[in-house]
């Protein structure tokens, strides 16, 4: 009951179908103007469906200069363990590593792989293509929303979200599970954590020892999102713009970035792109618990307007909107893929 009231009184946990109700009307307006429900296809012409659905992570990584993201390899569904090991060895990817669906959904089926045994379990369960990649060595993560109109040489950062991972700190007598239950945000993840960690949740951590239970900043997996838009500076904008200009056909989306310090990130040092998300991106700084639902609606409307205007500009330059029949086909495939991953 405590968790139920926590979810009811914190809109960040509400189903997106409810949160987005006013936004559907704005989307309908822009769809009528574009004469296409799937106008988003043109906002990032080099990314499948503009990055809204059914886009391949590996294909997106291939657009990004190698120095900006960790070593990443695509594993096709059904590949046996030995061939996966061969790929990892050849690419010089080390344990622990990250495995995640090539076509993903809000952090579902993303796993930290610590050993060959973990990899074998993932390989046997995965009924989808997935990527394996080096674990990024930096401790901090932000989501940086980037927007650039096709006629511009300089884009802008429209929002930054910083992320607090699901970390428990030992007190010398409480079990990991008891520490999780002290925080409603964490306790909501307990069923999934029990599946992943099993009896390890009964361990007692020494005083002051930290355990990062979910080493990636995903809201659906318990990370706390904090609005870091005050970190936007001309220098950081310049750094991000220089990188994004090297990504062909990328105009709208969120870069999830791990970094060492914000000062080094500004200077373009010691950071790595976790993922690049296109038209399906949210300005996730809205999920800071301090923000109201009205603030979220305002920011969502602002960013959908950017997406429509960029799409319309690219369309005038020859980028196609997705035809309705093809769009519905892609959407059905997206739902099928989502069901696979959610039930992983």
């Amino acid at each position: 009951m405590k968790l139920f009231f926590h979810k009811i009184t914190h809109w960040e946990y509400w189903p997106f179908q409810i949160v987005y109700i006013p936004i559907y009307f704005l989307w309908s307006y822009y769809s009528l103007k574009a004469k296409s429900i799937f106008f988003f296809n043109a906002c990032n012409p080099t990314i499948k469906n503009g990055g809204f659905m059914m886009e391949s992570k590996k294909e997106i990584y291939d657009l990004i200069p190698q120095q900006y993201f960790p070593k990443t390899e695509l594993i096709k569904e059904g590949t046996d363990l030995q061939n996966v090991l061969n790929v990892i060895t050849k690419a010089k990817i080390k344990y622990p590593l990250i495995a995640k669906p090539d076509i993903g959904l809000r952090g579902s089926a993303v796993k930290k792989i610590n050993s060959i045994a973990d990899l074998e379990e993932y390989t046997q369960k995965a009924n989808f293509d997935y990527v394996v990649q080096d674990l990024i060595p930096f401790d901090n993560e932000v989501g940086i929303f980037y927007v650039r109109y096709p006629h511009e040489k300089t884009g802008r950062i429209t929002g930054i979200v910083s992320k607090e991972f699901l970390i428990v700190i030992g007190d010398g007598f409480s079990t990991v599970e008891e520490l999780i239950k002290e925080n409603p945000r964490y306790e909501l993840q307990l069923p999934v954590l029990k599946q992943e960690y099993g009896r390890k949740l009964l361990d007692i951590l020494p005083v002051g020892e930290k355990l990062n239970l979910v080493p990636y900043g995903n809201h659906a997996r318990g990370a706390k999102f904090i609005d870091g838009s005050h970190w936007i500076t001309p220098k950081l904008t310049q750094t991000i713009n220089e990188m994004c200009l090297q990504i062909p056909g990328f105009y709208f989306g969120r870069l999830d970035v791990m970094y060492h310090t914000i000062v080094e990130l500004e200077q373009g040092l010691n950071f790595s792109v976790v993922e690049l998300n296109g038209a399906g991106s949210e300005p996730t700084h809205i999920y800071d618990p301090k923000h109201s639902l009205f603030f979220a609606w305002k920011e969502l409307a602002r960013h959908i307007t950017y997406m429509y205007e960029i799409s319309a500009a690219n369309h005038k330059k020859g980028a196609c909107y997705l035809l309705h029949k093809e769009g519905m086909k892609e959407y059905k495939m997206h739902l099928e893929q989502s069901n696979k991953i959610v039930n992983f």
Side-chain angles (χ1 to χ4, degrees), residues 93-264:
I93 295 174
K94 307 294 185 182
Y95 297 100
L97 56 87
I98 294 292
K100 56 187 176 184
D102 184 44
I103 299 173
L105 178 72
R106 293 173 176 260
S108 298
V110 178
K111 299 288 183 183
K112 182 181 179 183
I113 306 296
N114 293 297
S115 64
I116 292 177
D118 288 348
L119 184 62
E120 181 176 19
E121 181 182 0
Y122 196 95
T123 300
Q124 291 174 348
K125 289 178 64 177
N127 58 344
F128 44 77
D129 295 349
Y130 59 97
V131 296
V132 290
Q133 65 182 189
D134 272 334
L135 185 68
I136 297 172
F138 306 122
D139 292 331
N140 303 304
E141 183 174 343
V142 287
I144 299 175
F145 214 106
Y146 176 82
V147 168
R148 180 170 63 89
Y149 289 88
H151 67 277
E152 296 177 327
K153 292 186 177 180
T154 302
R156 72 212 65 164
I157 298 172
T158 59
I160 296 179
V161 62
S162 65
K163 303 175 182 183
E164 288 185 1
F165 297 123
L166 202 162
I167 297 174
V168 293
I169 303 174
D171 58 14
F173 58 87
S174 299
T175 66
V176 173
E177 182 173 342
E178 289 169 340
L179 293 172
I180 290 169
K181 288 182 177 179
E182 291 177 1
N183 186 323
R185 180 183 301 279
Y186 294 4
E187 191 174 0
L188 287 167
Q189 303 301 316
L190 193 53
V192 175
L193 293 172
K194 284 182 176 179
Q195 278 189 330
E196 186 166 347
Y197 287 93
R199 295 190 60 81
K200 291 180 181 178
L201 295 186
L202 301 179
D203 292 348
I204 296 175
L205 298 180
V207 176
E209 181 174 317
K210 295 182 179 181
L211 176 61
N212 188 346
L213 292 163
V214 183
Y216 32 86
N218 187 274
H219 188 263
R221 296 294 305 275
K224 182 180 179 180
F225 282 11
I226 300 170
D227 191 343
S229 298
H230 58 281
W231 288 336
I232 300 173
T233 63
K235 178 59 179 173
L236 181 60
T237 300
Q238 179 185 352
T239 294
I240 297 303
N241 189 66
E242 286 176 358
M243 176 177 64
C244 291
L245 287 175
Q246 298 177 63
I247 304 172
F250 174 58
Y251 298 97
F252 174 92
R254 191 186 69 245
L255 297 138
D256 293 330
V257 175
M258 297 198 73
Y259 66 99
H260 184 227
T261 68
I262 197 68
V263 172
E264 290 176 338

Side-chain angles (χ1 to χ4, degrees), residues 33-52:
K33 287 189 71 174
K35 299 179 181 177
S36 171
I37 295 175
F38 304 105
F39 61 83
F40 53 76
N41 190 63
C43 74
N44 297 310
T46 58
I47 300 175
K48 183 173 182 179
N49 300 323
F52 191 88

